[in-house]
PDB file of all heavy atoms in Angstrom:
ATOM      1  N   LEU B  53      18.665   0.538 -27.073  1.00 98.00           N
ATOM      2  CA  LEU B  53      18.938  -0.800 -26.545  1.00 98.00           C
ATOM      3  C   LEU B  53      18.311  -1.854 -27.464  1.00 98.00           C
ATOM      4  O   LEU B  53      18.921  -2.893 -27.745  1.00 98.00           O
ATOM      5  CB  LEU B  53      18.376  -0.904 -25.116  1.00 98.00           C
ATOM      6  CG  LEU B  53      18.597  -2.198 -24.353  1.00 98.00           C
ATOM      7  CD1 LEU B  53      20.086  -2.537 -24.254  1.00 98.00           C
ATOM      8  CD2 LEU B  53      18.009  -2.076 -22.937  1.00 98.00           C
ATOM      9  N   GLY B  54      17.118  -1.570 -27.942  1.00 98.00           N
ATOM     10  CA  GLY B  54      16.462  -2.487 -28.883  1.00 98.00           C
ATOM     11  C   GLY B  54      17.260  -2.625 -30.167  1.00 98.00           C
ATOM     12  O   GLY B  54      17.454  -3.741 -30.679  1.00 98.00           O
ATOM     13  N   GLN B  55      17.766  -1.510 -30.668  1.00 98.00           N
ATOM     14  CA  GLN B  55      18.602  -1.566 -31.880  1.00 98.00           C
ATOM     15  C   GLN B  55      19.860  -2.385 -31.608  1.00 98.00           C
ATOM     16  O   GLN B  55      20.257  -3.226 -32.415  1.00 98.00           O
ATOM     17  CB  GLN B  55      19.017  -0.150 -32.316  1.00 98.00           C
ATOM     18  CG  GLN B  55      17.865   0.714 -32.811  1.00 98.00           C
ATOM     19  CD  GLN B  55      18.286   2.173 -33.021  1.00 98.00           C
ATOM     20  OE1 GLN B  55      19.477   2.492 -33.067  1.00 98.00           O
ATOM     21  NE2 GLN B  55      17.308   3.060 -33.144  1.00 98.00           N
ATOM     22  N   ALA B  56      20.486  -2.134 -30.460  1.00 98.00           N
ATOM     23  CA  ALA B  56      21.717  -2.860 -30.110  1.00 98.00           C
ATOM     24  C   ALA B  56      21.455  -4.362 -30.079  1.00 98.00           C
ATOM     25  O   ALA B  56      22.249  -5.153 -30.600  1.00 98.00           O
ATOM     26  CB  ALA B  56      22.245  -2.380 -28.757  1.00 98.00           C
ATOM     27  N   ARG B  57      20.339  -4.758 -29.515  1.00 98.00           N
ATOM     28  CA  ARG B  57      20.050  -6.194 -29.399  1.00 98.00           C
ATOM     29  C   ARG B  57      19.895  -6.830 -30.771  1.00 98.00           C
ATOM     30  O   ARG B  57      20.394  -7.928 -31.019  1.00 98.00           O
ATOM     31  CB  ARG B  57      18.794  -6.407 -28.550  1.00 98.00           C
ATOM     32  CG  ARG B  57      19.005  -5.977 -27.105  1.00 98.00           C
ATOM     33  CD  ARG B  57      17.774  -6.195 -26.272  1.00 98.00           C
ATOM     34  NE  ARG B  57      17.459  -7.613 -26.177  1.00 98.00           N
ATOM     35  CZ  ARG B  57      16.354  -8.100 -25.633  1.00 98.00           C
ATOM     36  NH1 ARG B  57      15.444  -7.275 -25.160  1.00 98.00           N
ATOM     37  NH2 ARG B  57      16.152  -9.398 -25.576  1.00 98.00           N
ATOM     38  N   LEU B  58      19.165  -6.148 -31.661  1.00 98.00           N
ATOM     39  CA  LEU B  58      19.001  -6.687 -33.015  1.00 98.00           C
ATOM     40  C   LEU B  58      20.352  -6.773 -33.726  1.00 98.00           C
ATOM     41  O   LEU B  58      20.638  -7.745 -34.435  1.00 98.00           O
ATOM     42  CB  LEU B  58      18.046  -5.800 -33.823  1.00 98.00           C
ATOM     43  CG  LEU B  58      16.586  -5.807 -33.363  1.00 98.00           C
ATOM     44  CD1 LEU B  58      15.798  -4.721 -34.087  1.00 98.00           C
ATOM     45  CD2 LEU B  58      15.959  -7.180 -33.596  1.00 98.00           C
ATOM     46  N   LEU B  59      21.173  -5.749 -33.532  1.00 98.00           N
ATOM     47  CA  LEU B  59      22.474  -5.721 -34.198  1.00 98.00           C
ATOM     48  C   LEU B  59      23.408  -6.798 -33.635  1.00 98.00           C
ATOM     49  O   LEU B  59      24.146  -7.440 -34.380  1.00 98.00           O
ATOM     50  CB  LEU B  59      23.089  -4.323 -34.067  1.00 98.00           C
ATOM     51  CG  LEU B  59      22.395  -3.234 -34.912  1.00 98.00           C
ATOM     52  CD1 LEU B  59      22.719  -1.835 -34.398  1.00 98.00           C
ATOM     53  CD2 LEU B  59      22.791  -3.368 -36.390  1.00 98.00           C
ATOM     54  N   TYR B  60      23.366  -7.020 -32.325  1.00 98.00           N
ATOM     55  CA  TYR B  60      24.198  -8.087 -31.737  1.00 98.00           C
ATOM     56  C   TYR B  60      23.748  -9.462 -32.238  1.00 98.00           C
ATOM     57  O   TYR B  60      24.565 -10.341 -32.512  1.00 98.00           O
ATOM     58  CB  TYR B  60      24.139  -8.061 -30.207  1.00 98.00           C
ATOM     59  CG  TYR B  60      25.008  -6.990 -29.591  1.00 98.00           C
ATOM     60  CD1 TYR B  60      24.488  -6.127 -28.628  1.00 98.00           C
ATOM     61  CD2 TYR B  60      26.348  -6.841 -29.939  1.00 98.00           C
ATOM     62  CE1 TYR B  60      25.271  -5.135 -28.053  1.00 98.00           C
ATOM     63  CE2 TYR B  60      27.139  -5.855 -29.371  1.00 98.00           C
ATOM     64  CZ  TYR B  60      26.595  -5.001 -28.426  1.00 98.00           C
ATOM     65  OH  TYR B  60      27.378  -4.029 -27.858  1.00 98.00           O
ATOM     66  N   GLU B  61      22.447  -9.612 -32.321  1.00 98.00           N
ATOM     67  CA  GLU B  61      21.929 -10.891 -32.812  1.00 98.00           C
ATOM     68  C   GLU B  61      22.416 -11.124 -34.243  1.00 98.00           C
ATOM     69  O   GLU B  61      22.832 -12.227 -34.601  1.00 98.00           O
ATOM     70  CB  GLU B  61      20.401 -10.841 -32.768  1.00 98.00           C
ATOM     71  CG  GLU B  61      19.727 -12.196 -32.864  1.00 98.00           C
ATOM     72  CD  GLU B  61      18.218 -12.037 -33.048  1.00 98.00           C
ATOM     73  OE1 GLU B  61      17.602 -11.246 -32.293  1.00 98.00           O
ATOM     74  OE2 GLU B  61      17.682 -12.688 -33.959  1.00 98.00           O
ATOM     75  N   HIS B  62      22.366 -10.065 -35.023  1.00 98.00           N
ATOM     76  CA  HIS B  62      22.856 -10.132 -36.399  1.00 98.00           C
ATOM     77  C   HIS B  62      24.349 -10.460 -36.417  1.00 98.00           C
ATOM     78  O   HIS B  62      24.800 -11.329 -37.168  1.00 98.00           O
ATOM     79  CB  HIS B  62      22.574  -8.806 -37.096  1.00 98.00           C
ATOM     80  CG  HIS B  62      22.952  -8.784 -38.544  1.00 98.00           C
ATOM     81  ND1 HIS B  62      22.875  -9.902 -39.362  1.00 98.00           N
ATOM     82  CD2 HIS B  62      23.409  -7.769 -39.339  1.00 98.00           C
ATOM     83  CE1 HIS B  62      23.269  -9.567 -40.591  1.00 98.00           C
ATOM     84  NE2 HIS B  62      23.604  -8.299 -40.597  1.00 98.00           N
ATOM     85  N   ALA B  63      25.105  -9.787 -35.548  1.00 98.00           N
ATOM     86  CA  ALA B  63      26.552 -10.016 -35.479  1.00 98.00           C
ATOM     87  C   ALA B  63      26.836 -11.468 -35.104  1.00 98.00           C
ATOM     88  O   ALA B  63      27.701 -12.122 -35.713  1.00 98.00           O
ATOM     89  CB  ALA B  63      27.185  -9.067 -34.465  1.00 98.00           C
ATOM     90  N   ALA B  64      26.097 -11.963 -34.125  1.00 98.00           N
ATOM     91  CA  ALA B  64      26.303 -13.356 -33.691  1.00 98.00           C
ATOM     92  C   ALA B  64      26.019 -14.304 -34.848  1.00 98.00           C
ATOM     93  O   ALA B  64      26.731 -15.297 -35.049  1.00 98.00           O
ATOM     94  CB  ALA B  64      25.404 -13.669 -32.500  1.00 98.00           C
ATOM     95  N   GLY B  65      24.999 -13.978 -35.627  1.00 98.00           N
ATOM     96  CA  GLY B  65      24.670 -14.799 -36.802  1.00 98.00           C
ATOM     97  C   GLY B  65      25.782 -14.761 -37.840  1.00 98.00           C
ATOM     98  O   GLY B  65      26.142 -15.789 -38.422  1.00 98.00           O
ATOM     99  N   LEU B  66      26.351 -13.578 -38.045  1.00 98.00           N
ATOM    100  CA  LEU B  66      27.444 -13.448 -39.019  1.00 98.00           C
ATOM    101  C   LEU B  66      28.658 -14.257 -38.578  1.00 98.00           C
ATOM    102  O   LEU B  66      29.341 -14.872 -39.390  1.00 98.00           O
ATOM    103  CB  LEU B  66      27.847 -11.972 -39.174  1.00 98.00           C
ATOM    104  CG  LEU B  66      26.870 -11.062 -39.928  1.00 98.00           C
ATOM    105  CD1 LEU B  66      27.332  -9.609 -39.837  1.00 98.00           C
ATOM    106  CD2 LEU B  66      26.729 -11.488 -41.389  1.00 98.00           C
TER     107      LEU B  66
END
Side-chain angles (χ1 to χ4, degrees):
Chain B
L53 182 57
Q55 292 171 15
R57 294 180 64 188
L58 292 170
L59 289 161
Y60 282 130
E61 196 190 312
H62 184 33
L66 288 173

